[in-house]
Amino acid sequence: MAQNKTVPYELLESLTDHPDNRGRIMVARKNKLEEPLMLKLAVDTDEAVRMSIARHKKATLKVLTLLLNDIWSEISNKASERIHNGSHK
């Protein structure tokens, strides 16, 4: 369902709590994602979800700054790289 391009934003919000990380990863990759959901997914228990947020083209400085402290160095490095390159919203 998260793959659907016309999925309602409210449904994306509810899928951020889905027990299956694949659903949360799909949500994290959606172009229509807004900062509040990005912030929530940036502290997800699954590193693939957090990495999807670190790579999200619309990730804000606030979101990337949160990811600087990620326990997984690849995520914190990606966030740092994007901040230093100015590639954030």
Side-chain angles (χ1 to χ4, degrees), residues 8 16 26 31 36 38 40-41 49 53 58 65-66 72 76 86:
T16 61
M26 285 186 216
N31 285 332
M38 284 190 198
K40 180 177 182 178
L41 292 170
V49 173
I53 294 298
K58 293 184 179 176
T65 300
L66 178 62
W72 200 35
S76 59

Side-chain angles (χ1 to χ4, degrees), residues 25-41:
I25 291 167
M26 285 186 216
V27 171
R29 293 178 177 164
K30 295 297 282 183
N31 285 332
K32 65 165 74 174
L33 212 56
E34 296 174 5
E35 188 180 63
L37 283 187
M38 284 190 198
L39 289 168
K40 180 177 182 178
L41 292 170

Side-chain angles (χ1 to χ4, degrees), residues 33-66:
L33 212 56
E34 296 174 5
E35 188 180 63
L37 283 187
M38 284 190 198
L39 289 168
K40 180 177 182 178
L41 292 170
V43 295
D44 193 273
T45 57
D46 188 271
E47 63 273 357
V49 173
R50 298 190 313 273
M51 181 56 95
S52 293
I53 294 298
R55 292 179 173 151
H56 198 287
K57 68 181 182 180
K58 293 184 179 176
T60 63
L61 180 58
K62 184 175 182 179
V63 170
L64 294 173
T65 300
L66 178 62

Side-chain angles (χ1 to χ4, degrees), residues 63-75:
V63 170
L64 294 173
T65 300
L66 178 62
L67 289 168
L68 286 175
N69 298 316
D70 197 275
I71 58 170
W72 200 35
S73 63
E74 290 181 46
I75 294 171

